[in-house]
Amino acid sequence: MGALVGPAVAGHPRIAALYERDQTCQTLGIALDEVSAGRALMRMRVTASMVNGHGMAHGGYLFLLADAAFSYACNSYGPVTVAQAAQVTFLAPAAVGDELVAEAVERVRSGRTGIYDVTVRQAGGKTAGKAVAEFRGQSVILAGKPLGD
Amino acid sequence: MGALVGPAVAGHPRIAALYERDQTCQTLGIALDEVSAGRALMRMRVTASMVNGHGMAHGGYLFLLADAAFSYACNSYGPVTVAQAAQVTFLAPAAVGDELVAEAVERVRSGRTGIYDVTVRQAGGKTAGKAVAEFRGQSVILAGKPLGD
Amino acid sequence: MGALVGPAVAGHPRIAALYERDQTCQTLGIALDEVSAGRALMRMRVTASMVNGHGMAHGGYLFLLADAAFSYACNSYGPVTVAQAAQVTFLAPAAVGDELVAEAVERVRSGRTGIYDVTVRQAGGKTAGKAVAEFRGQSVILAGKPLGD
Amino acid sequence: MGALVGPAVAGHPRIAALYERDQTCQTLGIALDEVSAGRALMRMRVTASMVNGHGMAHGGYLFLLADAAFSYACNSYGPVTVAQAAQVTFLAPAAVGDELVAEAVERVRSGRTGIYDVTVRQAGGKTAGKAVAEFRGQSVILAGKPLGD
């Protein structure tokens, strides 16, 4: 399913392999458009199976998209890194058919811990660029498990 | 798909209808076991399509399960209520096949805002009862949109 | 300044010593009413030097009170434990003269990490019991530094 | 105590007045170095009365400094704005004598809500620029209470 991975990932075999095994993103059609040191850009289209009982995109999927971008950003350095905690603020609803982009940017690294900020935005249409959610994740490097580039 | 709804929901037609329209929970097989004023209990089995590149349950799905339970707890009173913000701490990984339960309990309501705590636990097996994630959500009642019981 | 420490602390010499060195609580008159395994109760009166430009108690002091109670609760077990992260929601303003109590209760411990919930309430007057702020703290045990009871 | 206010505040009489009434910042010697639309820079020296029982700067004061900068940034536009919630991650300890700066920057505004990020750093010495804490605040504009410039 390499079609989900943008050309920018071509030079990152470790990340490409991580993405290949990422059944969550593969199944939901979450594309990895860009990845570089401490940064990742992912893209998801809201489908009919992603709505809640109020008919809006489920907040869980907005979080998941941000969390996925966060994960690729903090694993961009090599060592296996996982989310320890995260906070999200929902700013606007999203609807079926909306295409959303999540851009994760590293804010700080300190020892084994890092902080990454992710903004989820509308990718197109009349509301292109509008922020849907703001996410902040706290990462931690797992001991002794470098992925080995 | 009423099979996903426990008998305890029978007396809550508004919640049952909300759940019927909830394509996220229906599609992922997230069952609504119990609901009462300010409280909800939901259940999800981790499937092979819910893992991340490290082979563990994606944190996004752990959050989504907690967020879903939070949503039913804060909508238990009637008015349409949505998540404004949430914070999650991941305590232990979950694996394919694990059955997880999320119990959402109201902590406080103040004006249009509420705070709900959700614990996600292993439901069975050797680690039954073990906490996987702790979630706190901040809800807000949308103006002028009572669901009308 | 032992007057700030309630009789319940008498049996906890290590905590009493920690409190003696706690210049923040001593200076602000924050009393340690109770402490036990994973739990602490502290008390603070809002003074004229604790207001912000809007004339209300500064949110920073509401957080500080909660954070102090959190600290005694997570240090109640022995090893030196510090706050790694915290989240606070402000529910109602507090005014000069208000007496506030903060009750910290352990939610979960997992490895070196713990989660503690703290509610800050009005202690007396017409609004006694009213929640002013809800706080959740994530603690971490520092390596190799038991306080030695 | 105008000495605590930098020259950059001269052109903001409303902010200057807000700061004059801010007994928290006045009492603690927290200076307001800069303020502009959606941004503020504040400065605090850790004193002997700001330590906890472990001898480090109390996390409550690190939060308070960040919260103060957040407050001036979100009140820079005019309407009375208060903190609704905040999250902080502590990255490194601070000691008595350390001078700390907190820079608050608006991340997004949406309706009555805003999100502001604040970094607290060491201002000088061998560790100048080192991040001590990262803070994110969620603000809300109070109804019908413009400060009136």
Side-chain angles (χ1 to χ4, degrees):
Chain A
M1 300 200 199
L4 293 175
V5 185
V9 186
H12 297 273
R14 189 174 46 73
I15 291 292
L18 197 64
Y19 182 78
E20 280 296 319
R21 294 191 300 268
D22 185 340
Q23 290 307 309
T24 293
C25 290
Q26 300 287 343
T27 303
L28 297 174
I30 299 177
L32 178 57
D33 282 3
E34 300 175 23
V35 67
S36 55
R39 183 178 171 279
L41 190 73
M42 302 195 85
R43 186 176 299 266
M44 178 181 85
R45 190 172 294 276
V46 178
T47 67
S49 62
M50 293 181 182
V51 301
N52 60 21
H54 301 310
M56 304 179 293
H58 200 290
Y61 279 117
L62 302 181
F63 178 95
L64 188 153
L65 172 62
D67 190 52
F70 163 42
S71 174
Y72 284 97
C74 67
N75 278 284
S76 62
Y77 293 106
V80 173
T81 306
V82 298
Q84 187 167 21
Q87 190 274 340
V88 66
T89 305
F90 298 110
L91 300 166
V96 172
D98 287 357
E99 190 181 37
L100 305 174
V101 288
E103 181 176 17
V105 177
E106 177 188 308
R107 190 168 181 87
V108 68
R109 277 186 298 162
S110 176
R112 308 182 75 82
T113 297
I115 296 179
Y116 291 75
D117 291 342
V118 189
T119 303
V120 179
R121 296 182 190 279
Q122 293 283 354
K126 280 184 291 189
T127 56
K130 185 178 172 63
V132 169
E134 291 284 355
F135 169 108
R136 172 168 285 188
Q138 179 189 336
S139 66
V140 63
I141 296 176
L142 295 184
K145 288 184 180 174
L147 268 174
D149 240 4
Chain B
M1 302 198 198
L4 293 175
V5 185
V9 187
H12 298 273
R14 188 174 46 72
I15 291 292
L18 196 64
Y19 182 77
E20 280 296 319
R21 294 191 300 268
D22 185 340
Q23 291 307 308
T24 295
C25 289
Q26 299 287 344
T27 303
L28 297 175
I30 299 178
L32 178 57
D33 281 3
E34 300 175 24
V35 67
S36 55
R39 184 179 170 279
L41 190 72
M42 302 196 84
R43 186 176 298 267
M44 179 181 84
R45 191 172 293 277
V46 178
T47 66
S49 62
M50 293 182 182
V51 301
N52 60 21
H54 301 311
M56 306 180 291
H58 200 291
Y61 279 116
L62 302 181
F63 178 96
L64 188 154
L65 172 62
D67 191 52
F70 163 42
S71 175
Y72 285 96
C74 67
N75 277 285
S76 63
Y77 293 105
V80 173
T81 306
V82 297
Q84 187 167 21
Q87 190 274 338
V88 66
T89 306
F90 298 109
L91 299 166
V96 174
D98 287 356
E99 191 182 34
L100 305 174
V101 289
E103 182 177 17
V105 178
E106 177 188 309
R107 189 169 182 86
V108 68
R109 277 187 298 162
S110 176
R112 308 182 74 82
T113 297
I115 297 179
Y116 292 75
D117 290 342
V118 188
T119 303
V120 179
R121 294 183 191 281
Q122 293 283 353
K126 281 183 290 189
T127 57
K130 184 178 173 65
V132 169
E134 291 284 356
F135 169 107
R136 171 168 285 187
Q138 179 189 336
S139 66
V140 64
I141 297 176
L142 294 184
K145 289 185 181 173
L147 268 173
D149 242 4
Chain C
M1 300 198 199
L4 293 176
V5 185
V9 187
H12 298 273
R14 189 174 45 74
I15 291 292
L18 196 64
Y19 182 78
E20 280 296 319
R21 294 190 301 267
D22 185 341
Q23 290 307 307
T24 294
C25 290
Q26 299 287 343
T27 303
L28 298 174
I30 300 178
L32 177 57
D33 281 4
E34 299 175 25
V35 67
S36 55
R39 183 179 171 278
L41 190 72
M42 302 195 84
R43 186 176 298 267
M44 178 181 85
R45 191 172 292 278
V46 178
T47 66
S49 62
M50 293 181 182
V51 301
N52 59 23
H54 301 310
M56 305 179 292
H58 200 291
Y61 280 116
L62 303 181
F63 179 96
L64 188 152
L65 173 61
D67 190 52
F70 163 42
S71 174
Y72 285 96
C74 67
N75 277 284
S76 62
Y77 293 105
V80 174
T81 306
V82 298
Q84 186 167 21
Q87 190 275 339
V88 67
T89 306
F90 298 110
L91 299 165
V96 173
D98 287 357
E99 191 181 35
L100 306 174
V101 289
E103 182 177 15
V105 178
E106 177 187 308
R107 188 168 182 86
V108 68
R109 278 187 298 162
S110 176
R112 309 181 75 83
T113 296
I115 296 179
Y116 292 75
D117 290 342
V118 188
T119 303
V120 178
R121 296 182 191 279
Q122 292 283 353
K126 280 183 291 188
T127 57
K130 185 178 171 63
V132 169
E134 291 284 355
F135 169 107
R136 171 167 284 187
Q138 178 189 335
S139 66
V140 63
I141 297 176
L142 295 185
K145 289 185 180 175
L147 267 174
D149 240 2
Chain D
M1 302 197 197
L4 293 176
V5 184
V9 187
H12 298 273
R14 188 174 47 74
I15 291 292
L18 196 64
Y19 182 78
E20 280 296 318
R21 295 190 300 268
D22 185 341
Q23 290 307 308
T24 295
C25 289
Q26 299 288 342
T27 303
L28 297 174
I30 299 178
L32 178 57
D33 281 3
E34 300 175 24
V35 68
S36 55
R39 185 179 169 278
L41 190 73
M42 301 196 85
R43 187 176 297 268
M44 178 181 84
R45 190 172 293 276
V46 179
T47 67
S49 62
M50 293 182 182
V51 301
N52 60 20
H54 301 310
M56 305 179 292
H58 200 290
Y61 280 117
L62 303 181
F63 179 95
L64 188 152
L65 172 61
D67 191 51
F70 163 43
S71 175
Y72 284 96
C74 67
N75 277 284
S76 62
Y77 293 105
V80 173
T81 306
V82 298
Q84 187 168 19
Q87 189 274 339
V88 65
T89 305
F90 298 110
L91 299 165
V96 173
D98 287 356
E99 191 181 35
L100 305 174
V101 289
E103 181 177 16
V105 178
E106 178 188 309
R107 187 167 184 86
V108 69
R109 277 187 298 163
S110 176
R112 306 181 78 82
T113 298
I115 296 180
Y116 292 75
D117 291 341
V118 188
T119 303
V120 179
R121 295 182 190 280
Q122 292 284 352
K126 278 184 291 189
T127 56
K130 184 179 173 64
V132 168
E134 291 284 355
F135 169 107
R136 171 168 285 187
Q138 179 189 335
S139 66
V140 64
I141 296 176
L142 295 184
K145 288 185 179 174
L147 267 173
D149 242 5

